[in-house]
Amino acid sequence: TTEETARDALAALRRITAAPIRYVILTHGHWDHVGGLGALRGPGTTVIARRGFDDELARSRSADPPFRYFFGAGTMKLDAKPDREIDAPETLAAGGLDLRLVPAPSGETADALFVQDRRHDLLVVGDAFMPYLGAPFVAEGTPEGYLAAIQMVLDLHPGLLIHGHTPLTALFTVDAMPGLRDALGALYARSVPAARAA
């Protein structure tokens, strides 16, 4: 969320490795995923996002978040500027990586970017599966995007699904996706016609 907290995370990483940060992949343009970017970006670091990231970040700038405690006491900067924006799947293979960057549907934002680590059978999905549509009290996200994101995960069939927030990784597992699809699909199929009829 802030450069101060990102510097703390980087210091913890540096106790494990001195490897350079070559890439920062932004899964979407929300404050809690880009606010600390300045602490991670250095010479030789390439920041990658999906096309449409700038529009989503502008929406984040214009929203007045109700949960102030969530942002901490540090300086939150929402001036993230990617070096590259992609709009089709790409592969990063430098330095032993085997990452596939996949523009994806999402229940939260229109600029979702999934990161598939094929070497380790992981899929990072950012906040595509929050327990609500969009950020709280912000007009964004769609049920159609949510359902399509579930289908993309099922099609990619990773061994492990990693979300942008730890509780979601524990609860919204790969094994939970078929049931989630069926339950939310049934809810959607009932709710939309009922809302139209009302």
Side-chain angles (χ1 to χ4, degrees):
T1 302
T2 67
E3 289 188 13
E4 290 85 350
T5 55
R7 275 195 289 276
D8 289 344
L10 183 58
L13 177 66
R14 289 296 172 236
R15 289 193 288 275
I16 300 168
T17 179
I21 298 175
R22 292 190 178 174
Y23 299 100
V24 175
I25 302 166
L26 302 174
T27 58
H28 61 296
H30 271 181
W31 48 85
D32 57 322
H33 293 262
V34 305
L37 179 61
L40 303 178
R41 191 178 221 159
T45 302
T46 301
V47 178
I48 302 172
R50 179 178 175 179
R51 192 171 312 281
F53 172 86
D54 293 335
D55 293 338
E56 191 58 48
L57 191 61
R59 185 189 332 270
S60 288
R61 277 193 210 101
S62 68
D64 186 21
F67 305 119
R68 293 275 173 211
Y69 65 87
F70 182 73
F71 298 97
T75 307
M76 185 173 58
K77 295 183 180 177
L78 291 176
D79 57 0
K81 185 69 179 156
D83 299 304
R84 287 181 38 222
E85 290 187 6
I86 66 171
D87 58 5
E90 281 190 19
T91 298
L92 287 178
L97 295 175
D98 185 12
L99 300 181
R100 186 166 173 252
L101 309 181
V102 186
S106 168
E108 187 173 64
T109 67
D111 68 329
L113 185 60
F114 287 3
V115 182
Q116 184 182 23
D117 181 341
R118 293 183 284 202
R119 187 171 152 207
H120 300 98
D121 198 19
L122 309 173
L123 184 64
V124 178
V125 296
D127 288 355
F129 302 105
M130 298 299 278
Y132 35 75
L133 297 177
F137 309 110
V138 179
E140 62 183 355
T142 66
E144 295 84 3
Y146 205 112
L147 292 167
I150 293 172
Q151 191 57 53
M152 180 174 272
V153 168
L154 292 172
D155 292 344
L156 293 172
H157 194 66
L160 181 64
L161 202 55
I162 301 174
H163 299 263
H165 300 276
T166 304
L168 298 177
T169 298
L171 298 172
F172 288 67
T173 63
V174 174
D175 293 338
M177 289 291 123
L180 188 63
R181 175 201 57 204
D182 295 348
L184 292 179
L187 180 64
Y188 180 77
R190 286 177 45 197
S191 300
V192 172
R196 287 185 177 139

